[in-house]
Amino acid sequence: MDKTLNNTIDPACLQDPPLAGDMLKQLDVFGVCLYSMLTFMSCVSLLLYLEQCIYIYKKIDYPKKTTIIWINGAAPVIATMSCFGMWIPRAVMITDMTSNCYFAVVVYKILVLLIEELGGSTAFLKRFSGETFRINTGPCCCCCLCLPRVPVSRRLLFLLKLGALQYAILKTVLSVLSVVLWTNGYFDLSDLEITGTAIWINPFIGVLTITSLWPVAIVFMNTNRFLRSLHIVPKYSMYQLVLVLSQLQTSIINILSLDGTIACAPPLSSQARGSMLSQQMMIMEMFIITLITRFYYRRTYDALPSEAHDNEENEKTNLEAALVEHDV
């Protein structure tokens, strides 16, 4: 049966991705125009990011500026790596590893930004001293409404930071391990056998991803009401959009290519064509996100109101509610 199946499949569909030079020879006029446009988009994204870094370095104080520079680099870095992967199909494993490792650090930096916008760890603990955080948020426990609220403490803050930081460290280690195994022929995404390494490493990375997103969601859901004047909601939305496009969208396309839904087109196999499609879509999407992110992070905002101001606003709100109730 295997011999019959192999005879019905175009041999070109079973080959490795072509070399960059061989692929360029196969491009027609439309392909040249498409590649040129996408390359231009990735270059513009990178140039806008470098200009944004200079602006942030001059206008924002340390340590917040390093955090914002890291976060702003998510979309341009992914677009640049996708451009390299588009031109050099055999380097996709390395370019994807670089993008994913960078974004793993961004996940931790988002948590750091939320804390720094509230004045840092010390001010964060002082502001929320005696309060409790709800932890039944996505992606882990959004349906667990029975979970109790957790009191804010230094230990809780440490666990939240650790939960996000572990992804940045372990993702990098596992990505490097995957590339080392791939160069020796031991890591293949199409190998779904129980003895394959990909079937063990990738699900474990998925668990690490969900575990790291949970602490960030906990801090955001409990503090975003204090940060609305800093436009934290659209900033957080851009981070989540990059997450969905770079992780979920890529995974879906890879599954479709492995399943054969994305047909091969010599000299590209099904898997190589799916990867090429993913890289091209990623460049266009990250270019748009770079423009939107630049708009939100380039603006300067007033300082965050102090804790005393928040207490005054709460007392005023409670007093108004009491007066309305008395009038009724």
Side-chain angles (χ1 to χ4, degrees):
M1 184 175 180
D2 291 338
K3 292 181 179 179
T4 305
L5 181 61
N6 289 333
N7 291 333
T8 61
I9 297 178
D10 189 342
C13 295
L14 302 175
Q15 295 176 357
D16 293 331
L19 296 173
D22 296 336
M23 189 188 65
L24 289 177
K25 296 177 183 178
Q26 301 288 332
L27 292 178
D28 53 8
V29 177
F30 174 77
V32 172
C33 294
L34 177 63
Y35 275 51
S36 300
M37 181 185 66
L38 294 176
T39 303
F40 175 75
M41 285 184 176
S42 63
C43 291
V44 170
S45 299
L46 186 59
L47 291 176
L48 288 177
Y49 170 61
L50 295 176
E51 189 273 338
Q52 181 80 338
C53 290
I54 297 174
Y55 175 86
I56 292 172
Y57 187 82
K58 292 180 178 179
K59 300 292 184 179
I60 301 178
D61 297 331
Y62 181 84
K64 189 186 297 184
K65 63 182 176 184
T66 57
T67 303
I68 295 178
I69 287 174
W70 267 98
I71 296 173
N72 272 260
V77 167
I78 294 175
T80 303
M81 291 298 103
S82 298
C83 184
F84 282 126
M86 180 184 67
W87 284 103
I88 311 173
R90 294 195 179 186
V92 167
M93 184 72 180
I94 298 176
T95 57
D96 285 350
M97 181 205 73
T98 305
S99 300
N100 293 334
C101 291
Y102 187 95
F103 187 76
V105 178
V106 170
V107 173
Y108 172 70
K109 290 296 182 179
I110 288 290
L111 176 63
V112 173
L113 178 65
L114 293 172
I115 296 174
E116 289 181 352
E117 292 287 18
L118 290 165
S121 298
T122 303
F124 180 89
L125 294 172
K126 182 179 179 182
R127 178 183 288 263
F128 297 103
S129 176
E131 298 188 21
T132 58
F133 277 2
R134 54 181 286 246
I135 61 175
N136 55 334
T137 62
C140 288
C141 302
C142 54
C143 298
C144 302
L145 301 179
C146 59
L147 288 177
R149 298 178 68 93
V150 179
V152 178
S153 63
R154 189 171 299 275
R155 180 173 179 270
L156 174 64
L157 183 59
F158 171 77
L159 292 176
L160 292 174
K161 288 184 176 180
L162 182 63
L165 182 61
Q166 54 84 21
Y167 179 55
I169 298 174
L170 296 179
K171 171 65 176 179
T172 304
V173 173
L174 292 175
S175 296
V176 173
L177 177 61
S178 299
V179 171
V180 172
L181 295 175
W182 171 71
T183 57
N184 287 275
Y186 295 118
F187 186 90
D188 185 5
L189 292 175
S190 61
D191 183 12
L192 301 180
E193 298 293 334
I194 194 66
T195 56
T197 55
I199 200 67
W200 292 97
I201 293 179
N202 288 340
F204 184 62
I205 291 178
V207 173
L208 294 178
T209 305
I210 295 175
T211 306
S212 67
L213 296 177
W214 190 29
V216 182
I218 290 174
V219 175
F220 174 76
M221 293 299 295
N222 288 278
T223 62
N224 69 83
R225 66 183 185 275
F226 301 105
L227 302 173
R228 292 187 182 275
S229 62
L230 304 180
H231 288 221
I232 197 63
V233 174
K235 292 178 181 178
Y236 188 80
S237 300
M238 288 299 102
Y239 142 77
Q240 287 191 315
L241 185 58
V242 173
L243 170 68
V244 171
L245 294 176
S246 63
Q247 305 295 323
L248 184 59
Q249 175 184 271
T250 302
S251 299
I252 293 174
I253 293 177
N254 288 336
I255 293 173
L256 293 177
S257 62
L258 291 175
D259 186 57
T261 304
I262 299 178
C264 71
L268 296 175
S269 63
S270 298
Q271 190 172 350
R273 190 178 177 211
S275 177
M276 183 68 64
L277 177 63
S278 176
Q279 308 299 324
Q280 293 173 352
M281 293 175 60
M282 201 72 66
I283 292 174
M284 293 185 287
E285 293 160 351
M286 294 302 123
F287 174 74
I288 298 174
I289 292 177
T290 298
L291 298 179
I292 299 175
T293 303
R294 183 176 185 272
F295 169 76
Y296 281 112
Y297 281 94
R298 192 174 182 84
R299 299 173 61 185
T300 56
Y301 305 101
D302 296 333
L304 193 68
S306 62
E307 183 182 4
H309 180 272
D310 292 337
N311 294 334
E312 291 177 1
E313 291 294 328
N314 292 334
E315 291 177 359
K316 185 185 297 184
T317 302
N318 295 334
L319 180 60
E320 292 176 355
L323 292 175
V324 170
E325 183 179 358
H326 181 269
D327 292 339
V328 174

